Amino acid sequence: MKTRSLLTGLALAFLTSTAAHAGDVRIMWYSDGVEGEVMKDLVGRFMKENPGINVILDNVAYSVIKEQLPVQLEAGNGPDIARVTAIKDLSRHWLDLRPLVKDAKYWDDNFGLQADWMRPDGSNQISGFMTQITLTGGFANKTLFDQAGVPIPGPKATWEDWAAASKKVQESQQVPFAMAIDRSGHRITAPLLSYGANYIGSDGKPAPLDQGAKDYLTKFVDWADDGTVSKDVWVSAAGNTYRAAADDFINGQLAFYYSGSWQVANLATKIGNNFDWVAVGSPCGPAACTGMPGGAALVAVKYTKNPKDVATVMDWFAQEKIVKEFSERTLFLPGNKAVVDKGGLDFKSDNEQAKAALNVFVESTKTTSEAALKLPGWRWSDTVYAAIVTRIGQTLAGELKIDDAFTRIDSDIAQKVKDAGK
Amino acid sequence: MTTPSLSNLLMAPVNAVMRVIDAPLRRLQKATGIGGMAAFFLAPNMLIFGIFVLLPLVINFVYSMTGGTAFFLSERDFIGGAQYSRLFECQNYLDPMSCQEDAFWTAVGNTFWFVVLQVSLMILTALITALILNRELAARSFWRAVFFFPVLLSPVVVGLIWKWILQRQGLLNFGLYQFGMDPYTWLTDRNWTFAATIGVSLWAHMGFYALIILAGLQAIPKDLYEAAEMDGTKPARVFWRITLPLLAPNLLVVVVLALIKSVQVFDEIYVLTGGGPGTSTLFLTQYIYETGFASALRNPGLAAAASILMGTVLVVLTLIQLGIGKRGENKGKR
C-alpha cells in the first residue's frame, strides 16, 4: 500500500508539474465511500456545461493527501484543487477565491460558518467549502442489546451509563469488548470536551491538560484495563497513527462504537441485514453532550496557473443544487447553510437504518459545544490530538503510568510549539 | 560475394560508433595516460552516484543542522548541533523515558535487539536451510523455490498476510480454537509482537540469504569432501574444518547484508504492527519517517539528524565487518 502510495505520489508530482495548460484544472480527490464515483459523474456534467475547461480528477489514497500533498505544497507544486482534511494546518497554501468567484456574498452566507477552518488566522479569505460536515457520535448494536435484554441508554445518557450498559451486553452476549473508540485524537476529544476539557490557552496557544481532560482519560484507561473499552485498536500502532474500530463493530464484536457520521454509508453497506444498529449521538459528561465537528473541504491551491478556471469550477460545485445532490448521493451531511436550512434532503439509500442514523447526526449538531466548534479552526488541534493519542496509546500498552502520560502530553505539545516557532 | 552474418549486421552500428570515437579517445589517452582514461570511463557513474547518493547525503546533513517545520532549506533556521543535542539529551540511555526524545531511544533499543536476534537467527536458519537444500533431496528444485518464494513478495504483502494470520480473529487463532485452545492476542501483547516481527522477517528474507550460502556450498570442491571421507573424518569435523571455513566469505556477505537490512527494517513491520503495541516494535526507520513526514508538525531536521546517526552506525559496523573479513583473508594467505 505504502509503495503504491509513493508511486502514485511520484506520478502525481510529475503530472501536476505538467498541468499548466490553459483550461486544465486538476483535482486531487480521495474517497471514504462512494463519493469518488459521484464526483466523477459531476465532473462530467461540469465539462459538458463548460466545454472550455478540462477537469482532471485524480483519485488518490487518503495517505497521499495526508503525507504527500503537504510536501508538494511546500515545494510550491500540487494540484489546482484538492479535497483535504488538514484544512487549517495548510491554509497558507490555499488560493483566495474572494476576488474570483461570481458572488462572494453567496459564499459568505452559505459557507461562512466553516470559512475560518480553512483560512489563515485574521483573513477574510474564501479558500473553498466543506464537501461534507462530519460529527462524531456513537453507534449501538441494537440486536446485541435486545438479545441481552438491556435497554439502549437514552439521549441524555452519560459515558458511564453507556459503559455500564455495554458491559452488561458484553457479559451477556460474550463479545470481546463492550465499547471501542477509534484511535484518533479528534474522536477522543469529544468525550474530553464533555468532561469540561479546554485545550486553548488564553494566549491562543495550547494550554496544559486540565482536570476535565485528565478525568476522562483516567476513566478511559481504567475502562481499557477492565476490558470495557477495546484496547486492541489503541495499542495496534505507535505514534499518532489513525486506526478505526469499525471492523470490530461490523463483525458484531462490539456493543457500542464511538466514531462519526462518515461511517454511516460504510456500516450500511457492510452490515447489511446481519444485525440491527442505531446511531445514538454523543454520550454526555458533566459539562456537555458534545460530538466533535469536522469534515473534508474542497480547496483551491494558490500555485495554480489557471485561477479563473479554478474559480469557475469551485463556483459550479458550490451551487446549492449540486451540494444537495452530492450530499444525497454520498450520504454526507452538507456544509451549505441553505441546503441545511431548507431541509428535505432525500438521502439515496434503501437502508432505513442509515437514513435514521443520518437524522440522528443532524439532530446531534444542536448539542455541539462552543469549544468543539472552535477546534477545527484552531492551528494547534492536530498537535494536541497527536500528543494525546501517542501517550495514551503507550499507557494502554503498559509503557507509561497515566500521570507520566499527562506530563509527557504537556511536554510534547510544548516542544512542538517551540519547534514551530523556530 | 559472401553474405554478411547476423552478428556482423548487428555489430555494424557499434563498429561505426567505435570508428568515430576511436581517434579522440586515443588523443585523450595520450594526454591523460591510462589512469586518466579510468577516471574518464568512471565519470558517468560517479556523476550519477554523486547526484543521487552523495548530494542527498550532504543535503540531509545540512537539514540536520536546521530547525523548524518548513521544508525549504531557505526557510529553515541554522541551529548548529541542537537537533543532535536534543537526541542525546538523556539522564539514562538504558531508560528511554528519562530522555527528551524517548521515542528515539526506544527505537534505538528495539532496533538493537531486533538486529542481534534477527541477524543471529537469520544466519543460523539460512545456513541450516542451505545445508539441507544442498543435499540430494527428492524434488530439490521445488524445495529451493519454496524457500525462495517469500523473497519475491512485496514487503507490504508480507505484512498483510501475517496480519491476517496473527490478528485476534486471524487464521492462527482460528486454528487454536479448532483444537479447543483459547485464542491469543499475538499482535497486542508486547512480548509476542516483538517475537512475531522477528519471525515474519525471517520468513520473508531467509530464502535470499540461504541462496547466497547455497552458492558458496556448491563452490566448495567436491574432492575435499572425498578426501575427508577416505580419511574417515566425522561429519561434524568436516563441517567445522572444511565447510565453514570455505563458506566464510559468503557468510561475511550474508552478515553484512542481513545487518544492514535489519537496521533498516520498516515496511513489513509497519504494515504488521504499526510500531505497536505502544512503542514495542517501533524501529529507527519508522521513527525517522514519522518524525520527518507523518507526525503533526513534521520535524525534518530532527529526522535528518536521526538518519545521519543511523547511517554512521551502519558505516562503522560495515567497516568493522570488512576489517574482520580482510584479516581472515590475510590469515588464510599466510
Side-chain angles (χ1 to χ4, degrees):
Chain A
M1 189 74 72
K2 188 143 290 297
T3 315
R4 207 175 64 178
S5 301
L6 282 171
L7 288 174
T8 315
L10 285 173
L12 282 171
F14 172 73
L15 290 170
T16 49
S17 67
T18 57
H21 306 294
D24 274 3
V25 173
R26 191 172 283 277
I27 303 177
M28 189 187 274
W29 183 270
Y30 78 92
S31 296
D32 282 322
V34 297
E35 66 270 34
E37 288 303 307
V38 176
M39 190 64 182
K40 195 174 156 192
D41 178 41
L42 293 175
V43 163
R45 269 164 49 194
F46 169 83
M47 287 199 289
K48 266 187 194 162
E49 289 177 27
N50 299 273
I53 301 175
N54 179 38
V55 179
I56 304 144
L57 187 69
D58 293 318
N59 266 302
V60 300
Y62 180 61
S63 59
V64 174
I65 300 278
K66 202 164 173 247
E67 291 165 16
Q68 291 166 33
L69 179 65
V71 180
Q72 290 182 24
L73 295 173
E74 286 290 346
N77 292 318
D80 301 296
I81 296 171
R83 183 182 191 224
V84 291
T85 51
I87 42 185
K88 186 70 170 187
D89 191 30
L90 300 171
S91 60
R92 64 188 179 283
H93 301 293
W94 308 149
L95 174 71
D96 185 4
L97 292 165
R98 186 170 290 281
L100 299 165
V101 291
K102 271 187 210 153
D103 181 4
K105 190 174 177 304
Y106 168 82
W107 283 76
D108 288 337
D109 290 347
N110 291 292
F111 302 108
L113 274 178
Q114 294 87 29
D116 255 348
W117 296 4
M118 60 187 92
R119 63 187 171 204
D121 286 340
S123 82
N124 74 338
Q125 178 171 317
I126 295 175
S127 306
F129 66 94
M130 301 298 289
T131 56
Q132 92 224 65
I133 297 290
T134 59
L135 188 69
T136 61
F139 299 94
N141 183 325
K142 188 171 179 300
T143 302
L144 283 180
F145 272 88
D146 290 347
Q147 284 172 353
V150 176
I152 290 179
K156 291 282 174 192
T158 62
W159 278 94
E160 286 86 348
D161 296 336
W162 272 102
S166 304
K167 186 80 179 162
K168 278 185 198 161
V169 174
Q170 179 205 2
E171 285 164 1
S172 157
Q173 300 300 301
Q174 296 292 300
V175 289
F177 294 106
M179 311 201 296
I181 299 181
D182 289 339
R183 189 182 201 270
S184 152
H186 175 257
R187 241 64 91 229
I188 203 164
T189 289
L192 261 66
L193 296 182
S194 292
Y195 270 66
N198 173 33
Y199 295 167
I200 308 174
S202 53
D203 58 354
K205 288 188 176 160
L209 280 186
D210 56 21
Q211 201 51 47
K214 288 179 181 174
D215 285 348
Y216 182 80
L217 290 173
T218 306
K219 207 169 279 271
F220 181 69
V221 171
D222 289 344
W223 281 336
D225 285 342
D226 72 14
T228 304
V229 158
S230 167
K231 224 183 224 191
D232 283 22
V233 70
W234 275 76
V235 300
S236 64
N240 63 328
T241 307
Y242 168 70
R243 291 274 190 273
D247 285 345
D248 287 336
F249 186 75
I250 289 163
N251 291 328
Q253 303 287 305
L254 285 171
F256 176 75
Y257 169 43
Y258 194 77
S259 185
S261 56
W262 60 93
Q263 292 285 4
V264 170
N266 187 32
L267 299 186
T269 311
K270 291 185 180 163
I271 293 172
N273 296 321
N274 292 342
F275 59 84
D276 292 337
W277 55 278
V278 288
V280 295
S282 286
C284 298
C289 309
T290 187
M292 265 299 293
L298 196 66
V299 289
V301 175
K302 74 177 177 190
Y303 312 114
T304 179
K305 303 282 190 295
N306 304 315
K308 279 186 183 165
D309 291 339
V310 165
T312 307
V313 174
M314 293 296 282
D315 261 334
W316 194 86
F317 279 96
Q319 291 175 88
E320 193 181 313
K321 61 176 185 183
I322 299 296
V323 171
K324 185 168 184 282
E325 182 187 338
F326 180 83
S327 301
E328 287 172 339
R329 290 174 66 184
T330 56
L331 308 187
F332 286 155
L333 306 183
N336 182 305
K337 190 169 178 293
V339 176
V340 176
D341 288 349
K342 284 178 189 167
L345 280 165
D346 179 21
F347 289 113
K348 307 289 181 220
S349 171
D350 297 333
N351 190 317
E352 289 305 318
Q353 295 182 120
K355 285 186 178 181
L358 288 166
N359 287 328
V360 169
F361 278 106
V362 172
E363 196 62 22
S364 299
T365 54
K366 294 173 186 165
T367 59
T368 307
S369 72
E370 281 298 311
L373 287 169
K374 272 185 202 163
L375 287 179
W378 185 50
R379 188 193 166 191
W380 302 101
S381 299
D382 285 341
T383 305
V384 177
Y385 297 161
I388 291 175
V389 170
T390 304
R391 298 307 181 179
I392 294 301
Q394 281 183 272
T395 310
L396 295 182
E399 291 178 4
L400 280 177
K401 291 200 170 82
I402 188 73
D403 288 331
D404 296 331
F406 294 152
T407 311
R408 283 284 177 176
I409 289 169
D410 286 339
S411 63
D412 287 353
I413 295 169
Q415 182 64 53
K416 291 280 184 190
V417 172
K418 196 174 153 193
D419 287 346
K422 276 178 188 165
Chain B
M1 203 170 91
T2 54
T3 357
S5 68
L6 183 64
S7 62
N8 282 344
L9 271 176
L10 290 173
M11 284 306 288
V14 178
N15 289 335
V17 173
M18 295 304 281
R19 275 195 295 275
V20 172
I21 62 172
D22 184 58
L25 283 180
R26 277 178 191 282
R27 274 201 294 276
L28 187 69
Q29 185 172 335
K30 216 171 189 178
T32 60
I34 297 288
M37 289 308 285
F40 176 76
F41 285 117
L42 280 175
N45 267 341
M46 292 309 290
L47 191 70
I48 291 168
F49 182 76
I51 292 172
F52 293 106
V53 179
L54 286 182
L55 187 64
L57 201 68
V58 172
I59 293 173
N60 198 34
F61 183 71
V62 176
Y63 261 97
S64 74
M65 297 285 186
T66 59
T69 53
F71 268 103
F72 274 135
L73 264 180
S74 57
E75 294 169 13
R76 297 177 61 80
D77 301 329
F78 180 80
I79 56 168
Q83 303 283 21
Y84 294 94
S85 309
R86 180 166 158 186
L87 288 175
F88 281 103
E89 198 177 319
C90 203
Q91 287 165 13
N92 175 6
Y93 292 114
L94 296 177
D95 174 17
M97 295 316 293
S98 69
C99 305
Q100 189 186 353
E101 278 301 313
D102 59 302
F104 173 73
W105 287 102
T106 303
V108 168
N110 290 343
T111 308
F112 173 79
W113 285 115
F114 183 83
V115 168
V116 169
L117 295 170
Q118 194 254 21
V119 173
S120 322
L121 289 171
M122 180 72 82
I123 290 162
L124 191 69
T125 51
L127 182 61
I128 293 170
T129 309
L131 287 169
I132 293 170
L133 291 177
N134 196 37
R135 297 169 78 97
E136 292 301 326
L137 294 172
R140 189 164 67 169
S141 303
F142 168 76
W143 291 113
R144 285 180 182 174
V146 164
F147 281 99
F148 191 71
F149 176 70
V151 178
L152 302 176
L153 296 177
S154 141
V156 176
V157 174
V158 170
L160 282 176
I161 288 173
W162 283 96
K163 195 170 187 174
W164 289 331
I165 293 172
L166 296 171
Q167 65 192 3
R168 180 184 284 275
Q169 290 171 310
L171 210 58
L172 183 58
N173 277 344
F174 177 75
L176 291 177
Y177 184 75
Q178 296 300 311
F179 285 104
M181 295 159 81
D182 284 335
Y184 203 78
T185 50
W186 307 101
L187 293 181
T188 51
D189 178 302
R190 296 168 54 77
N191 301 316
W192 278 116
T193 310
F194 194 81
T197 59
I198 293 174
V200 169
S201 179
L202 285 179
W203 181 84
H205 304 292
M206 192 267 288
F208 174 68
Y209 300 112
L211 201 70
I212 296 176
I213 297 173
L214 189 61
L217 284 172
Q218 292 184 346
I220 298 174
K222 293 274 183 293
D223 50 0
L224 291 177
Y225 290 111
E226 286 164 8
E229 199 179 347
M230 283 164 67
D231 288 346
T233 316
K234 285 179 182 168
R237 195 172 163 80
V238 170
F239 175 75
W240 290 109
R241 294 298 173 135
I242 298 174
T243 309
L244 209 55
L246 291 174
L247 263 186
N250 293 64
L251 285 176
L252 183 72
V253 170
V254 168
V255 171
V256 172
L257 292 180
L259 202 98
I260 292 172
K261 185 98 182 149
S262 66
V263 174
Q264 294 173 333
V265 65
F266 175 61
D267 15 29
E268 65 245 29
I269 309 301
Y270 187 66
V271 174
L272 182 68
T273 69
T279 53
S280 58
T281 58
L282 174 73
F283 297 113
L284 260 177
T285 316
Q286 186 181 340
Y287 168 82
I288 292 166
Y289 164 70
E290 291 195 338
T291 305
F293 299 100
S295 68
L297 284 181
R298 296 163 290 275
N299 191 335
L302 193 64
S307 70
I308 292 284
L309 291 177
M310 186 172 113
T312 309
V313 170
L314 275 176
V315 168
V316 169
L317 282 176
T318 310
L319 289 176
I320 291 171
Q321 282 172 341
L322 290 177
I324 293 169
K326 215 160 211 176
R327 216 166 56 182
E329 269 175 35
N330 293 338
K331 226 177 182 178
K333 277 177 196 163
R334 269 187 257 134

